[in-house]
Amino acid sequence: MAGSIQDTFFEECEELLEAMDEGLTAIEGGDHDPEVVNAVFRAVHSIKGGAGAFGLDELVAFAHKFETVFDEVRANRLGLDTKLIQLLLRCSDHLSDLVATSRDGGSVDEAHNDVLVSALEEYIDEDEEEVVFQPMGLGGAFEMAPIEVEKERIYNIRFHPLKDMYGTGNEPYFLFQTLADLGTLEVTLDESELPGFDALDTDESYLIWALTLTTTESKSAIESVFEFVEGLCELSIESDMDEEDDANALAALEAAFGTAPEEGGDQVAAPFEPPVSAPEPEAVAAPVAAKAAAPKAEAAKSDQRGPNPTLRVDLERVDRLINAVGELIINHSMLAQQIANLDVADLRDVETELEGFKNLARDIQEGVMSIRAQPVKPLFQRMARIVREASAATGKTAKLITEGEGTEVDKTVIERLSDPLTHILRNAVDHGIEKPEDREAGGKTKSGEIRLSASHRSGSVCIEIKDDGAGVNRPRVKQIAIDKGLIPENADLTDSEIDNLLFLPGFSTAKEISNLSGRGVGMDVVKNAVTALGGRINISSTPGKGSVFTIILPLTLAVMDGMVVSVADQTMVVPITSIVETMRGSDDMVNNLGADGTLLSIRGNFVPVCDVGGALGLSKGDQDQPPGVYLLVETETGQRSALAVDDIHDQRQVVIKSLDGVCGNIPGVAAATILGDGKIAMILDPESILAASPSAAAFDTERRISNAIAS
Amino acid sequence: MQSQAEAKYDDSEIKHAEHSEFVSFTVAGQAFCLKITQIREIRRWSPVTILPHAPADVLGVMNLRGAVIPIYDLSARFGLQQTEASERNVVIVVSVHGKPVGLLAESVSEIISINPDDIQDTPPVDSRNTMDYIQGIISHDETMVRIINLDAVITAPEQVIS
């Protein structure tokens, strides 16, 4: 049981780390909005809290330092300069590592930890108490009431956990332990509430602790210990002296919160009431108000910030659901057909109901389909770290800019993209980006720029990694390839062929073995990983300007917008992203060029026509059909062509079903999908249809067509 | 009473160990069979979606509860004439290399119980395909039933389309 709660904590951690990364990236990008700072602070704080509950001391210790520095930033006592931002980024990386080691075991790099901690400590005032005393969750600047912190005070704490507190996996022992760290702690158990054995409800919580803490810490430090059980316990903290100070602090607090009364209810209606007479509500009210204030400020910025609440589901379950919904829709169409066949006079009511059923089923289908696909954003966020680490290791400065983070790709694809991307990005920093002084000499900015973008293209996902570095050193690459015997000495290669030599196994351009590359793991590994995903990778480079790696991946199971067309009596889907324009053709638009060439005239421009049926080796049932419909498509190289199809039916979202492993690779076909009527439709790959010459597709498929149509 | 029942139960167990159940069906007028454990389900023929550039014995793909499965014309696969499309045709869904695959047959006949001793080796004939595809033959109700070597008939997907 404890294990599963801990699992939940780590799952939450992932979301929190993501939020933290996102916030820090925004900060790095120049967004110093207090809300962003707050979001990061909250994330770190929550991780610390959770880690505390599970006794993950290393994690707590580091998160605490991290948090403390952030608190300074939040209170506007610390300016966010580049140096600090870099440190914070490195700390966030380290925090992820600590979370990972806490979860998976393994050892933490102690030296690295110490370096970061001492770097953080430079930012922390020597008098740390002042920092800890910061009230929670505000971010707005307000004047602190002067408070004496040196004096030892005795706090009488009455702590009554509610049953929900145990339900959320909190353990009083850890809380007491944290308290004991603040000073001298005496714990007394008050079991007076405990009913007789007969009346005992085993789910109820009866135990109350009376704690006496002697400490120099302020009251808010004690409150913050209990912060994570706030609302889950009855708590009162009374101090033996300096009530006035407390009252002052409270006044400052509440003046700053402003909104406190509506949240805190009746107790806070009298905000200046001394804590002794109403200690418990105040202890709780302040954090509650703080929490309430935060979402309010955030509401204005709404969705773009902070992680969406997510649910982790086994992929197999989702697949089962997708299949079941597919069946549901097929069943619907079969039912509809049978009802239509019934010899009944009045079917209107049934048909109306059936229509409702259909819409419902479609809604479910759409919802289910969208589960499997996930945006590449988390992956891209992880990549920012790779670039940071690589930059640090090579002494270069490089910045990662990401685009198209919202592009949705199948979850498995995202997971398996991580390694190849990591490798390419490391290479981009190590080999691509020049040293700062060299860049300046070349008239570039000191800091290199790597652009990582994702987009849907021609029914595929296109991931592009573009750096503004030196580009491929072609003479050197060629020489190395010759030296290694990979190509003959007199080989006459085009520029692009030379660039692609990088993907050859055993190729390495690194002059010496660096920390990052040159350890025999070359770009061929990247290529293999991409190929294993059914994709392809390309490099293009301009000397002095940089290189672009393009990874094209099939969508496997991703959701895609497609145009449903018919080709040679078959229903097919063309990815909408590749279609520029659609038009109905007329005879005078078609021009012949030579024996086989056909050009379509579009507003004075001529584009080549490709007969899809012919290219796929399917012939039309009716040869004398009038010219059909043309889909104007644009290829990766920007070349335009017109795909001739018989008709356009519909435009809809389809789930991509991979054909790999079913039928191997079929030229012209990217994947398949299942239409609402249960039939499978091919999803075309315009790029490869255009590449396939019509003559190469001379297959006798008429028999199969007739077979398919029959019965 | 009880011991009798037990004895009976044991009997059937032994029978199971000795006999394997096979499903027999016809392809191009010839009787074939597959071990019942190899068959996942038998479906009525429904129109398939044809695959461009596919060889003649690959009819196309079919939707099996959300999964795309290829359908092979067994007859064409065995080098016999292609199966005429008919409503009586059946698709036998089997699992090869962990993937479901549909096999088109003319009709399914019955389930037969075969003693392993009754399986005869395929007599050598001058056909490479036949020797590869047929694991053995049995005599059943005075007809010859051919046992299909599934792994040989359906090769790994990569090799299907070159």
Side-chain angles (χ1 to χ4, degrees):
Chain A
M1 193 58 198
S4 72
I5 294 171
Q6 201 157 344
D7 286 347
T8 312
F9 162 65
F10 284 122
E11 280 172 11
E12 277 169 13
C13 265
E14 266 175 47
E15 277 158 29
L16 291 166
L17 288 170
E18 211 174 283
M20 178 183 76
D21 269 350
E22 196 178 326
L24 281 172
T25 312
I27 290 170
E28 191 190 14
D31 186 354
H32 295 180
D33 190 307
E35 231 357 271
V36 181
V37 177
N38 266 339
V40 179
F41 177 83
R42 277 197 298 273
V44 178
H45 190 72
S46 306
I47 292 172
K48 179 180 108 172
F54 290 108
L56 305 169
D57 296 335
E58 268 183 335
L59 187 53
V60 174
F62 185 76
H64 179 69
K65 294 277 182 219
F66 192 10
E67 178 192 10
T68 311
V69 171
F70 235 93
D71 207 16
E72 291 286 278
V73 175
R74 226 163 50 124
N76 285 331
R77 274 195 300 262
L78 210 55
L80 278 165
D81 56 12
T82 322
K83 194 172 150 235
L84 177 59
I85 291 172
Q86 287 308 319
L87 174 66
L88 293 174
L89 285 167
R90 281 169 63 205
C91 289
S92 84
D93 294 344
H94 185 60
L95 194 66
S96 319
D97 283 348
L98 286 172
V99 171
T101 33
S102 306
R103 181 183 48 209
D104 309 326
S107 61
V108 183
D109 185 350
E110 294 286 346
H112 186 56
N113 191 50
D114 293 346
V115 168
L116 288 177
V117 167
S118 54
L120 282 173
E121 271 167 355
E122 278 178 30
Y123 286 97
I124 302 172
D125 276 359
E126 279 172 27
D127 186 5
E128 205 185 311
E129 276 73 23
E130 211 185 323
V131 177
V132 176
F133 187 63
Q134 283 295 302
M136 282 296 303
L138 262 183
F142 57 88
E143 291 300 311
M144 295 294 300
I147 288 165
E148 294 253 10
V149 285
E150 264 73 40
K151 270 184 232 165
E152 279 226 331
R153 293 193 240 177
I154 299 168
Y155 291 93
N156 291 314
I157 303 163
R158 188 175 173 278
F159 175 60
H160 179 196
L162 302 177
K163 65 176 176 183
D164 285 348
M165 197 197 95
Y166 297 109
T168 52
N170 282 293
E171 166 62 53
Y173 174 72
F174 290 121
L175 295 170
F176 301 160
Q177 212 169 32
T178 321
L179 278 182
D181 292 343
L182 299 176
T184 322
L185 184 71
E186 273 177 51
V187 182
T188 323
L189 177 65
D190 173 3
E191 51 185 289
S192 58
E193 298 264 314
L194 211 60
F197 195 74
D198 296 341
L200 190 75
D201 175 359
T202 49
D203 283 339
E204 208 30 86
S205 160
Y206 301 103
L207 299 180
I208 301 165
W209 278 276
L211 303 116
T212 312
L213 178 68
T214 313
T215 177
T216 56
E217 298 279 344
S218 62
K219 185 172 171 182
S220 57
I222 300 167
E223 282 167 3
S224 70
V225 170
F226 289 99
E227 198 189 343
F228 284 91
V229 292
E230 132 196 345
L232 302 173
C233 65
E234 286 168 14
L235 179 71
S236 74
I237 304 171
E238 293 168 25
S239 98
D240 59 333
M241 54 196 286
D242 284 332
E243 277 149 22
E244 259 178 58
D245 275 357
D246 275 351
N248 282 343
L250 267 167
L253 264 177
E254 265 146 24
F257 287 141
T259 53
E262 63 172 83
E263 283 300 324
D266 48 354
Q267 291 90 349
V268 193
F272 295 100
E273 217 170 34
V276 180
S277 55
E280 175 197 312
E282 264 146 350
V284 178
V288 165
K291 275 217 164 174
K296 243 178 237 170
E298 211 166 18
K301 313 214 161 202
S302 75
D303 323 66
Q304 70 226 28
R305 207 156 278 155
N308 292 325
T310 52
L311 180 68
R312 275 151 223 277
V313 187
D314 191 6
L315 274 186
E316 202 180 304
R317 290 188 194 179
V318 179
D319 282 348
R320 274 211 302 271
L321 198 56
I322 288 176
N323 290 345
V325 173
E327 275 298 288
L328 178 69
I329 283 166
I330 296 157
N331 261 355
H332 163 265
S333 39
M334 281 160 60
L335 206 56
Q337 190 61 47
Q338 301 209 344
I339 288 173
N341 290 346
L342 287 178
D343 195 14
V344 180
D346 189 9
L347 279 173
R348 267 177 308 181
D349 284 354
V350 179
E351 276 168 352
T352 312
E353 294 297 322
L354 203 63
E355 191 63 26
F357 173 36
K358 176 175 144 191
N359 291 338
L360 213 55
R362 286 274 147 83
D363 278 356
I364 298 172
Q365 187 189 30
E366 260 180 39
V368 168
M369 280 172 181
S370 62
I371 297 177
R372 193 84 164 58
Q374 293 198 334
V376 293
K377 192 173 184 180
L379 173 70
F380 278 18
Q381 279 178 356
R382 284 210 297 281
M383 290 305 132
R385 166 178 192 174
I386 303 295
V387 172
R388 277 201 296 278
E389 284 175 354
S391 309
T394 53
K396 298 171 181 175
T397 45
K399 193 168 188 293
L400 184 76
I401 297 166
T402 53
E403 281 166 6
E405 292 176 319
T407 307
E408 292 197 334
V409 186
D410 191 75
K411 193 178 185 311
T412 34
V413 174
I414 292 181
E415 281 161 4
R416 288 166 66 183
L417 255 180
S418 175
D419 283 349
L421 274 190
T422 304
H423 207 86
I424 295 176
L425 285 171
R426 277 187 183 151
N427 268 326
V429 176
D430 202 13
H431 302 306
I433 304 284
E434 314 92 322
K435 292 207 164 64
E437 53 272 24
D438 294 345
R439 289 184 62 88
E440 274 187 325
K444 297 188 196 173
T445 51
K446 233 170 150 178
S447 161
E449 194 179 281
I450 300 172
R451 211 168 267 274
L452 176 61
S453 65
S455 57
H456 280 165
R457 192 190 283 181
S458 310
S460 307
V461 184
C462 172
I463 310 273
E464 205 176 79
I465 303 101
K466 184 176 180 180
D467 68 61
D468 66 346
V472 175
N473 185 345
R474 295 200 178 107
R476 224 172 82 75
V477 167
K478 194 175 171 187
Q479 194 52 50
I480 290 171
I482 292 170
D483 291 349
K484 290 187 182 265
L486 297 170
I487 52 167
E489 201 155 332
N490 54 1
D492 185 19
L493 301 179
T494 63
D495 286 351
S496 131
E497 279 170 334
I498 295 175
D499 291 346
N500 279 293
L501 288 177
L502 294 178
F503 294 117
L504 286 179
F507 190 92
S508 169
T509 50
K511 283 195 198 102
E512 60 232 53
I513 290 172
S514 71
N515 260 343
L516 290 173
S517 49
R519 281 179 294 194
V521 185
M523 290 299 285
D524 59 313
V525 176
V526 172
K527 186 168 189 171
N528 288 344
V530 172
T531 317
L533 275 171
R536 54 184 193 270
I537 181 165
N538 245 311
I539 174 174
S540 72
S541 175
T542 319
K545 291 260 162 51
S547 318
V548 185
F549 286 89
T550 314
I551 302 174
I552 310 279
L553 292 167
L555 286 167
T556 24
L557 268 164
V559 176
M560 180 198 74
D561 277 314
M563 190 165 277
V564 182
V565 299
S566 61
V567 175
D569 299 317
Q570 294 274 307
T571 306
M572 300 195 177
V573 178
V574 182
I576 218 113
T577 43
S578 58
I579 300 176
V580 181
E581 183 179 346
T582 63
M583 65 195 70
R584 200 160 279 281
S586 57
D587 279 335
D588 55 339
M589 287 170 76
V590 181
N591 305 272
N592 289 328
L593 184 72
D596 299 320
T598 316
L599 296 182
L600 191 69
S601 119
I602 300 165
R603 295 181 292 272
N605 289 318
F606 294 97
V607 297
V609 175
C610 170
D611 178 47
V612 176
L616 292 177
L618 315 169
S619 46
K620 284 182 204 171
D622 179 9
Q623 285 290 353
D624 297 324
Q625 230 174 309
V629 186
Y630 295 97
L631 311 175
L632 195 63
V633 296
E634 201 172 83
T635 62
E636 278 169 46
T637 51
Q639 176 75 44
R640 288 191 173 198
S641 302
L643 297 179
V645 298
D646 297 345
D647 210 351
I648 294 177
H649 299 290
D650 196 2
Q651 186 180 320
R652 71 170 74 142
Q653 260 200 347
V654 295
V655 178
I656 290 109
K657 298 270 179 182
S658 171
L659 283 173
D660 301 335
V662 175
C663 318
N665 185 30
I666 305 163
V669 176
T673 188
I674 295 175
L675 298 174
D677 63 0
K679 283 206 75 172
I680 294 171
M682 296 293 144
I683 297 174
L684 302 180
D685 176 6
E687 198 93 3
S688 78
I689 287 179
L690 295 173
S693 84
S695 57
F699 270 88
D700 169 33
T701 46
E702 272 175 58
R703 189 239 0 131
R704 282 186 290 131
I705 295 171
S706 62
N707 229 350
I709 297 161
S711 80
Chain B
M1 215 24 214
Q2 203 184 2
S3 64
Q4 247 179 357
E6 262 173 23
K8 229 179 192 173
Y9 182 75
D10 282 345
D11 232 350
S12 70
E13 279 292 300
I14 292 160
K15 240 184 178 172
H16 257 290
E18 281 180 354
H19 286 77
S20 304
E21 288 189 311
F22 285 74
V23 175
S24 68
F25 47 90
T26 50
V27 173
Q30 301 187 11
F32 290 88
C33 69
L34 276 170
K35 221 178 198 171
I36 202 162
T37 49
Q38 290 175 306
I39 297 174
R40 289 174 51 159
E41 62 183 285
I42 297 171
R43 293 174 70 91
R44 257 208 337 221
W45 163 255
S46 61
V48 296
T49 302
I50 59 166
L51 281 173
H53 305 306
D57 52 4
V58 178
L59 285 170
V61 286
M62 191 182 82
N63 169 17
L64 180 72
R65 286 184 297 282
V68 179
I69 68 166
I71 307 296
Y72 292 83
D73 182 350
L74 269 186
S75 176
R77 198 83 180 147
F78 293 142
L80 307 167
Q81 77 276 20
Q82 277 150 2
T83 309
E84 289 295 316
S86 140
E87 287 224 34
R88 283 203 61 222
N89 290 356
V90 290
V91 174
I92 301 168
V93 181
V94 294
S95 181
V96 189
H97 309 293
K99 301 260 180 206
V101 169
L103 307 172
L104 177 66
E106 258 167 25
S107 62
V108 172
S109 316
E110 58 182 321
I111 296 172
I112 46 180
S113 183
I114 299 171
N115 188 324
D117 297 337
D118 294 341
I119 299 175
Q120 306 169 23
D121 287 341
T122 323
V125 287
D126 191 18
S127 162
R128 197 58 229 281
N129 269 3
T130 312
M131 295 307 288
D132 282 349
Y133 292 165
I134 308 300
Q135 219 164 24
I137 51 174
I138 46 169
S139 174
H140 177 74
D141 288 350
E142 296 178 10
T143 55
M144 185 179 81
V145 183
R146 303 144 188 88
I147 301 173
I148 296 173
N149 178 2
L150 202 53
D151 285 345
V153 174
I154 311 299
T155 40
E158 291 75 43
Q159 295 160 276
V160 172
I161 297 165
S162 48

